[in-house]
Amino acid sequence: MSKKKATSSLRARNHDDELIELDKEFQQFKLEEFTVEYPSEDAITRTIDAMRPYVTQAAAPRVKYSFLRQLQVMQIQPLFWLANLLFFCMGLLVWYVWEGDPYKIMLLLSPIPFLLGLLEVFRGRNEGLLELEISCKYSAQQLLLMKLIVICAYNILLCLALIGIFGIFGEPLLLSKLIMYWTAPFAVAVSVGLAVASRVRNVLSVPIALVIWLFIAYGFLIGLEHYEQASELPYIAGLATVFVAACIAKQIQRLKKGFAYYEAVH
Amino acid sequence: MKLSIERVSKQYGAKRALDNVSFEMTEGVYAFLGANGSGKTTLMRILASVARPSSGRVLLDDVDIELLDEKYRDLLGYLPQHMGYYKNFTVEKFLFYIAALKGIEKGRAKAKIDELLQAVSLQEERRTKVGKLSGGMKQRVGIAQALLNDPKIIIVDEPTAGLDPKERIRFRNLMSTISADRIVLLSTHIVSDIEYIAKELLILKRGMLIQKAEPQHLLDALSGKVWTVTASPNELAAWQASHKVSSMLVRENGTELRILSENKPAPHAEEAIPNLEDLYLHYFDEEAAK
Ligand SMILES: Nc1ncnc2c1ncn2[C@@H]1O[C@H](COP(=O)(O)OP(=O)(O)OP(=O)(O)O)[C@@H](O)[C@H]1O
Ligand SMILES: [Mg+2]
């Protein structure tokens, strides 16, 4: 132990001697006459800029990602909202002027804004943005469902308004009949729209979904004329609605999970 | 960080766009050189996870990017070669939209957008509709969106297409500054874009990776094969027919030709230092000749 210390202090002394020698050598070079120029502003900025990438930035804050905040940025064209309002007015007109059956109006008209909304959903694809959109953190599939939900919610809102108006200014609508004529067909239309949209990945999905919808609506109308009197029908329709809605909800659930958190993985 | 491409092939019907390509990338700028149709975009699309390889795989730090999925895309900044825009969006709105897709919270997005608009000098156009921008300006919006999420992996496909020389230089400096702790992969046909900044050049030919090396290494391999000769106007055609001519410079005493040749092409020829243009010609003479 002590021996070690001795050698190390010896080494230190040797080192000091070396330094003194070196100092003498330096003095021969007349170092004191050497001036160091202060770097220019420009050089300083350049150095700082060059260093910047090496300085680790503060980690991105883990933000809880609200669904609503995402909605703010989901840009949906005004035309879409207008077209939907137009259908709303059409329903009113048919009912008021031509005294159409409010139930049949609901059945036929209610899903159309949603199906047209698919156009809105595929807008990005038409304009060649898809490639960029699917390279982002949230995939196009998520974005697609996201927009569909917004469109669907707006659609339901309009329908409820229509039902309200029918009820206030005309005969109050029967819930059991609404289930048969509105919720069940509407849920089917939405799921058809979703199914087509996720398989046919372009604007063609809109006419396809519309045509399929017209056939289904026709089927509903025929079926309802025949079996309207059957007392268990509202229950079957109700069950069907719940079942289809559950399927849709499951897709929505998956989507929400994707949007729930902003995970920083750096 | 290490991005490994393992035996990646891509088949489009009967067309083999990529043929068994393997290489690795770490932090720094990598530049793709290749003639039209050589597979640059195909490979970049696979790396940007917008296309899947027919066979082979891509690994980030030894994990398949398909498994990383969302986590991988979160690290990614991608500029497609042909990009669409929502024409009625303003520049700012478009960037906010992409920021939302990238999962960036609004306040952070705003700060980042300010910073990037400055970097691509588009502050004055921030409220202009994208449809009204010039081609080069649109391209700069594309560059800005790729950098929104502070990506660790930047894949930009012909990012300088349509940029004026001043903006090209700005872009080059930007890439070189940010590449210290990121992987930057860019493709280009303009060799001056990558001069001085590329860590490695990747040369693709008909879907195959035929070279991957430091630029200086490739240039050294070419040394002794580039010559200059001065020719009179009536000799020019003969020279062009018999040799690979990489450039011509009109001078007082005739035209100075830069020639690629294994041997000294003429007694009065002088050896020249190879540059990237010569290199490009060396690998893609058929294309350059067109
Ligand atoms: N979607 C596709 N379907 C069929 N063939 C394709 C497709 N995309 C690319 N190819 C073919 O693959 C080959 C490589 O194309 P790629 O776009 O990758 O070339 P590139 O190197 O990017 O060319 P450029 O310099 O013109 O951008 C080409 O022969 C092209 O025709
Ligand atoms: Mg390309």
Side-chain angles (χ1 to χ4, degrees), chain B:
Chain B
M1 203 168 37
K2 185 180 77 184
L3 196 59
S4 332
I5 290 83
E6 286 191 351
R7 297 184 304 280
V8 165
S9 297
K10 180 79 183 176
Q11 194 85 28
Y12 286 115
K15 172 90 200 167
R16 202 165 181 78
L18 282 179
D19 195 359
N20 209 13
V21 172
S22 300
F23 62 94
E24 271 180 12
M25 293 187 284
T26 55
E27 285 83 354
V29 178
Y30 292 79
F32 263 145
L33 287 180
N36 290 137
S38 55
K40 303 181 295 293
T41 298
T42 308
L43 186 49
M44 292 180 116
R45 293 183 75 235
I46 289 171
L47 292 176
S49 75
V50 300
R52 291 177 71 185
S54 309
S55 65
R57 53 188 193 154
V58 180
L59 308 173
L60 178 66
D61 290 331
D62 302 319
V63 187
D64 195 319
I65 60 167
E66 277 192 36
L67 291 177
L68 290 172
D69 195 33
E70 193 174 293
K71 289 201 181 98
Y72 178 70
R73 293 198 305 271
D74 195 24
L75 298 175
L76 191 70
Y78 175 48
L79 173 66
Q81 182 173 11
H82 302 290
M83 198 172 122
Y85 295 89
Y86 292 140
K87 293 189 184 58
N88 55 342
F89 274 24
T90 62
V91 170
E92 195 174 26
K93 204 161 157 193
F94 177 79
L95 291 175
F96 267 120
Y97 169 71
I98 300 296
L101 284 188
K102 294 189 173 200
I104 304 167
E105 182 265 324
K106 210 164 182 186
R108 251 173 78 77
K110 190 168 171 6
K112 198 70 202 172
I113 287 170
D114 289 342
E115 181 190 323
L116 286 171
L117 283 178
Q118 177 140 21
V120 298
S121 47
L122 278 180
Q123 300 107 302
E124 276 165 29
E125 283 79 15
R126 69 185 301 153
R127 301 228 153 71
T128 310
K129 293 214 166 146
V130 178
K132 296 207 171 109
L133 295 180
S134 75
M137 287 173 173
K138 271 191 202 146
Q139 187 70 2
R140 271 139 62 192
V141 176
I143 292 168
Q145 68 72 27
L147 301 176
L148 275 172
N149 54 333
D150 264 321
K152 294 287 165 211
I153 300 165
I154 298 169
I155 297 171
V156 280
D157 199 351
E158 296 192 25
T160 56
L163 297 196
D164 64 39
K166 185 172 136 245
E167 289 303 328
R168 280 225 303 275
I169 292 166
R170 274 178 80 106
F171 173 80
R172 193 170 67 187
N173 292 343
L174 181 66
M175 285 300 123
S176 125
T177 330
I178 65 178
S179 67
D181 57 349
R182 296 158 217 254
I183 297 174
V184 179
L185 177 59
L186 60 86
S187 69
T188 185
H189 292 287
I190 303 163
V191 286
S192 64
D193 281 349
I194 49 175
E195 217 158 7
Y196 314 119
I197 69 162
K199 177 170 150 190
E200 287 192 355
L201 297 183
L202 300 157
I203 296 177
L204 274 175
K205 205 166 185 174
R206 286 185 221 97
M208 281 185 279
L209 183 69
I210 56 167
Q211 266 295 359
K212 174 182 186 276
E214 289 165 32
Q216 200 50 52
H217 181 85
L218 293 178
L219 290 176
D220 288 347
L222 212 58
S223 80
K225 295 178 186 167
V226 184
W227 309 85
T228 53
V229 285
T230 306
S232 62
N234 53 5
E235 292 169 343
L236 282 183
W239 275 111
Q240 278 183 291
S242 59
H243 289 88
K244 288 186 189 174
V245 178
S246 91
S247 71
M248 290 192 243
L249 200 63
V250 180
R251 292 194 188 280
E252 273 171 25
N253 56 342
T255 306
E256 191 183 286
L257 300 174
R258 245 179 121 81
I259 284 171
L260 261 66
S261 168
E262 293 286 331
N263 312 309
K264 197 171 187 174
H268 64 284
E270 279 174 39
E271 204 178 316
I273 299 168
N275 62 28
L276 287 177
E277 307 260 349
D278 303 326
L279 192 73
Y280 196 91
L281 183 71
H282 175 69
Y283 284 106
F284 307 111
D285 55 326
E286 308 101 85
E287 191 203 25
K290 272 177 206 164

